[in-house]
Amino acid sequence: MKVSALVIALLSLVVLATARKQMATRYDNFKVYKAFIRDVEQLEEFKKIHHHIHIHMLHDIGGVNRSYEVVVGPAHQKAFETTLHYLDIEFEITIEDLQALLDESAYDPDAAMDWVTYHPLDKIYDWVDEQCAAHDYLDCKVIGHSYEGRPIKSVRLSKREGNKAILIEGNIHAMEWISSATVTYILNQLINSNDAELQRLTEEYDWIVVPMVNPDGFVYTHEVERLWRKNRRPNGYSNSSGLCYGIDMNRNFDFHWSGAGWGIEDPCDHWFNGEQPNTEIEILQLQDFVSSFDEGYIRAYMAFHAYGQYILLPYGHSNTEFPPNYDQMMRIAAAFAEGALDSYGSEFTYGASGLLNYPVSGAAKDWAYGVKNIPFTCTVELRDKGTFGFFLPSNQITEVGVEVTEGLKSLVVKAAEEGIFD
Ligand SMILES: [Zn+2]
């Protein structure tokens, strides 16, 4: 009797585990639309569509003369298209079946760490731990824990006393899987590549890598909702679907932070910047970690995101005010773009984020520059330019890693020439 009770208990656990797995949202026949908004009138109407049609905006709505991507399920596609026609908004369908595209990047949870598939958090962290155990020039620290208690790990590579450092930050936005994939690719190259130039750069500079700033959101994208962007703290608001979770952590850093929401102006949307800056435990710990080093040690700060192939420089909050060494940062960003171009012809556009996109504050790069006085900071928006967007297939990870590593090599050389590390 006891044995069979145990068997039943174990079986029900298996059933529970299976049920939990099956909870991950599927996107069968969901389409991704790209809508082009040409004037303010269209913009105002476009902002309201989500009030009456169930859609998932993939971008905050920041201005006119630009395209916005929207995920729409089969039940709502006709209504959505009819509304766009009615508003005379031009659109195209960029992805016909989102689930089919996601399935192309399906991963085997038992596979070893590599850069041809995306991996869950545990796999990434196990690999980080293995590297830390194998190389005594790596100093690995848990810089803190997420809201749900997951560690936020860091790796500092230092082979020589007195070096200045470059800090690389990954996956603050949960759904941007190419970010942590690329950041770990770079880390792997720094540690294990035989490339003589890259090895020189590891001798002459320290490298600090925080591959996963948003572990809760990342796990949520793997287990529940692939399209999640924010962290997972209940943010104190609710809507008709229940409690609202999360803050867009790359809108929550305190440098010219604006209390107003942008775009959809709803605390339940994917870009909610919080009620005040510096509210999220994950970024507070990241900030404390950065501040734990001597002033002047970290000379470059690069945050990796998807997508669009941009090197976005400070400032984000303005398109009329520019950093004192903006021209210098532009030359350094140009070097990255030139280096990255050579591998596969990927073109990166560079400039102040407020200029290239639209003014939005609260990003890590602006805080790192404006508050921590780090003289070169940027957001790197990785591949692609919109073909797959946030859903870049995993068979492109290695190419992205290669081109970004080449870009980084050029960037560091140029930054040194420009006196960034002096
Ligand atoms: Zn992002």
Side-chain angles (χ1 to χ4, degrees):
M1 275 309 277
K2 263 189 184 163
V3 171
S4 53
L6 181 66
V7 168
I8 289 167
L10 283 173
L11 273 176
S12 55
L13 274 181
V14 170
V15 170
L16 255 183
T18 315
R20 191 166 295 163
K21 264 227 152 114
Q22 285 169 346
M23 274 171 58
T25 308
R26 289 187 60 84
Y27 302 95
D28 296 290
N29 299 310
F30 278 57
K31 293 186 197 299
V32 180
Y33 292 82
K34 186 187 275 185
F36 183 77
I37 304 299
R38 71 168 181 257
D39 56 40
V40 177
E41 205 176 313
Q42 282 187 341
L43 189 77
E44 289 310 311
E45 293 303 321
F46 189 62
K47 278 183 188 178
K48 293 179 200 155
I49 294 178
H50 80 291
H51 291 307
H52 41 95
I53 304 175
H54 190 75
I55 59 172
H56 187 115
M57 298 289 307
L58 291 176
H59 311 275
D60 50 344
I61 305 173
V64 298
N65 263 324
R66 45 188 306 135
S67 303
Y68 296 95
E69 287 192 315
V70 189
V71 178
V72 186
H76 305 281
Q77 286 160 3
K78 194 160 192 295
F80 182 65
E81 289 181 19
T82 304
T83 306
L84 292 186
H85 282 307
Y86 177 75
L87 296 171
D88 200 21
I89 292 173
E90 279 174 44
F91 69 91
E92 59 176 314
I93 295 166
T94 55
I95 296 169
E96 285 285 346
D97 181 351
L98 181 55
Q99 189 61 47
L101 177 62
L102 295 177
D103 288 346
E104 283 179 29
S105 296
Y107 57 85
D108 172 2
D110 298 322
M113 181 71 176
D114 60 23
W115 288 271
V116 291
T117 53
Y118 292 113
H119 295 287
L121 183 67
D122 291 350
K123 183 71 52 72
I124 295 170
Y125 272 178
D126 286 350
W127 176 80
V128 166
D129 293 346
E130 280 163 26
Q131 296 304 312
C132 293
H135 304 283
D136 57 9
Y137 56 81
L138 298 178
D139 177 20
C140 300
K141 277 200 181 94
V142 172
I143 69 174
H145 289 83
S146 64
Y147 175 77
E148 292 178 342
R150 294 185 178 86
I152 299 169
K153 297 190 177 187
S154 70
V155 181
R156 186 169 75 98
L157 182 159
S158 180
K159 295 182 178 174
R160 202 174 69 177
E161 286 277 312
N163 282 347
K164 297 290 172 58
I166 298 141
L167 190 145
I168 290 175
E169 172 218 286
N171 240 135
I172 199 168
H173 287 145
M175 69 189 291
E176 297 168 8
W177 290 4
I178 190 62
S179 171
S180 53
T182 303
V183 166
T184 53
Y185 180 94
I186 295 165
L187 181 59
N188 188 44
Q189 292 297 304
L190 292 170
I191 297 169
N192 296 313
S193 156
N194 295 322
D195 181 306
E197 171 66 353
L198 204 56
Q199 285 313 309
R200 181 184 73 79
L201 297 181
T202 67
E203 298 288 339
E204 296 184 9
Y205 303 94
D206 290 359
W207 296 78
I208 303 168
V209 178
V210 183
M212 181 61 62
V213 179
N214 184 6
D216 295 349
F218 187 70
V219 168
Y220 194 74
T221 59
H222 279 263
E223 295 183 356
V224 186
E225 188 187 329
R226 177 68 183 85
L227 310 183
W228 194 255
R229 174 179 172 93
K230 302 180 284 185
N231 67 351
R232 290 294 303 162
R233 184 175 68 81
N235 67 22
Y237 291 88
S238 57
N239 62 13
S240 56
S241 318
L243 289 180
C244 299
Y245 288 82
I247 302 293
D248 183 337
M249 293 199 285
N250 210 38
R251 301 275 187 280
N252 192 242
F253 285 81
D254 192 10
F255 181 70
H256 288 268
W257 186 85
S258 160
W262 288 278
I264 298 174
E265 290 164 3
D266 174 350
C268 302
D269 79 32
H270 307 287
W271 302 274
F272 182 46
N273 59 334
E275 287 182 316
Q276 53 186 38
N278 287 346
T279 50
E280 301 315 295
I281 188 77
E282 292 88 349
I283 66 161
L284 287 171
Q285 290 169 143
L286 178 65
Q287 292 176 13
D288 286 349
F289 177 64
V290 171
S291 301
S292 71
F293 297 102
D294 289 343
E295 193 142 325
Y297 169 62
I298 300 172
R299 307 298 288 167
Y301 186 113
M302 304 179 71
F304 284 82
H305 286 254
Y307 65 91
Q309 296 173 206
Y310 293 105
I311 301 131
L312 301 175
L313 302 171
Y315 296 123
H317 69 276
S318 169
N319 56 13
T320 52
E321 186 191 337
F322 294 89
N325 68 331
Y326 183 65
D327 291 346
Q328 182 187 53
M329 281 197 282
M330 285 291 279
R331 293 192 291 273
I332 295 167
F336 177 96
E338 276 166 36
L341 179 72
D342 285 347
S343 304
Y344 305 102
S346 297
E347 289 179 18
F348 282 79
T349 308
Y350 47 92
S353 64
L355 200 64
L356 291 187
N357 286 338
Y358 43 85
V360 172
S361 66
K365 66 146 183 4
D366 292 319
W367 172 83
Y369 183 86
V371 177
K372 299 311 294 180
N373 301 313
I374 296 172
F376 179 84
T377 75
C378 67
T379 298
V380 181
E381 299 283 1
L382 298 163
R383 280 196 200 176
D384 52 15
K385 281 179 162 304
T387 307
F388 299 110
F390 288 112
F391 313 107
L392 193 74
S394 54
N395 62 13
Q396 293 198 33
I397 297 171
T398 299
E399 287 194 4
V400 173
V402 168
E403 68 194 13
V404 169
T405 304
E406 290 305 311
L408 260 183
K409 283 158 65 176
S410 310
L411 177 145
V412 175
V413 168
K414 185 65 179 171
E417 245 176 67
E418 292 279 347
I420 289 289
F421 300 104
D422 295 348

